[in-house]
């Protein structure tokens, strides 16, 4: 998602990443769309949401499959109409974002079970990058390990043959 943003015409605008897997269900709408003072118990001031923070940029929703039905509905509306309403607010806000969404969950099964909105799925499912698990990509294991070394500033080091063999023999569940 960061690379898509960095290589796009929106690279000078914000990149905002949200882990929907850790958002408390009761606060997800407030985190995404913001809220006005007094909207709920504990809302002591106006809060800007992630949609506003990402305006003209990219909003990355990681683990989008964890959002509840109400937030899915609000998300669909914001994507379709390019407008949203902060929790407890009366005024609609304009939005101009690129949405990138990811999940490890089986969305097809969620659609069948009715726990993920079909219309939202078709709205966000415009370009899919499916990345198989590492256990199915053994040829990628050592290059990824070497990349991690280089990112740590340790590119001058090499893995011992035993370490490489251990990485290749690991099941990578």
């Amino acid at each position: 998602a960061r690379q898509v943003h960095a290589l796009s015409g929106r690279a000078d605008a914000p990149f905002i990443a949200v882990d929907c897997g850790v958002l408390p269900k009761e606060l997800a709408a407030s985190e995404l769309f913001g809220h006005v003072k007094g909207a709920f118990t504990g809302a002591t001031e106006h809060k800007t949401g992630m949609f506003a923070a990402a305006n003209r940029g990219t909003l990355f929703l990681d683990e989008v499959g964890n959002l509840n039905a109400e937030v899915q509905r609000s998300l669909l509306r914001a994507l379709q109409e390019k407008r949203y309403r902060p929790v407890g607010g009366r005024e609609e806000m304009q939005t101009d974002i690129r949405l990138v969404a990811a999940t490890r969950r089986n969305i097809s099964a969620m659609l069948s079970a009715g726990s993920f909105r079909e219309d939202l799925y078709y709205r966000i499912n415009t370009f899919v990058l499916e990345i198989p698990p590492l256990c199915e990509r053994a040829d990628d294991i050592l290059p990824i390990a070497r990349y991690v070394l280089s990112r740590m500033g340790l590119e001058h080091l090499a893995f011992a043959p035993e370490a490489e063999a251990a990485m290749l023999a690991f099941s990578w569940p």
Side-chain angles (χ1 to χ4, degrees):
R2 285 187 194 279
Q3 198 67 10
V4 166
H5 175 73
L7 296 174
S8 75
R10 296 176 181 253
D12 292 337
F15 173 86
I16 304 295
V18 180
D19 184 352
C20 300
V22 299
L23 284 179
K25 293 190 185 316
E26 313 79 42
L27 297 178
S30 172
E31 289 295 317
L32 291 176
F33 306 113
H35 65 257
V36 297
K37 181 179 178 180
F40 51 86
T41 303
T44 57
E45 58 188 41
H46 175 76
K47 178 181 174 152
T48 300
M50 302 300 181
F51 263 77
N55 199 35
R56 294 183 308 282
T58 302
L59 178 62
F60 173 47
L61 297 181
D62 194 13
E63 295 304 333
V64 70
N66 288 10
L67 296 176
N68 66 35
E70 179 183 331
V71 176
Q72 288 179 35
R73 181 180 44 78
S74 298
L75 176 58
L76 176 64
R77 183 174 184 274
L79 294 173
Q80 286 176 330
E81 299 177 20
K82 299 183 186 222
R83 302 180 73 71
Y84 65 93
R85 186 173 300 170
V87 175
R90 293 186 181 152
E91 236 179 87
E92 287 194 332
M93 312 292 286
Q94 288 273 37
T95 186
D96 174 19
I97 62 154
R98 165 190 289 118
L99 179 74
V100 178
T103 188
R104 290 179 288 146
R105 298 180 78 179
N106 183 337
I107 294 290
S108 296
M110 293 177 71
L111 290 168
S112 296
S115 59
F116 198 85
R117 290 182 64 108
E118 192 171 349
D119 46 1
L120 176 59
Y121 172 74
Y122 288 112
R123 174 63 64 175
I124 66 176
N125 190 37
T126 57
F127 184 79
V128 177
L129 290 174
E130 190 166 327
I131 302 172
L134 194 53
C135 62
E136 296 175 16
R137 301 179 293 129
D139 291 344
D140 291 343
I141 294 169
L142 294 180
I144 290 171
R146 291 182 187 115
Y147 173 77
V148 170
L149 272 185
S150 72
R151 291 288 297 194
M152 295 172 61
L154 303 172
E155 56 275 347
H156 60 283
L157 297 178
F159 290 105
E162 298 83 11
E164 288 185 355
M167 284 187 269
L168 292 172
F170 188 71
S171 64
W172 299 101

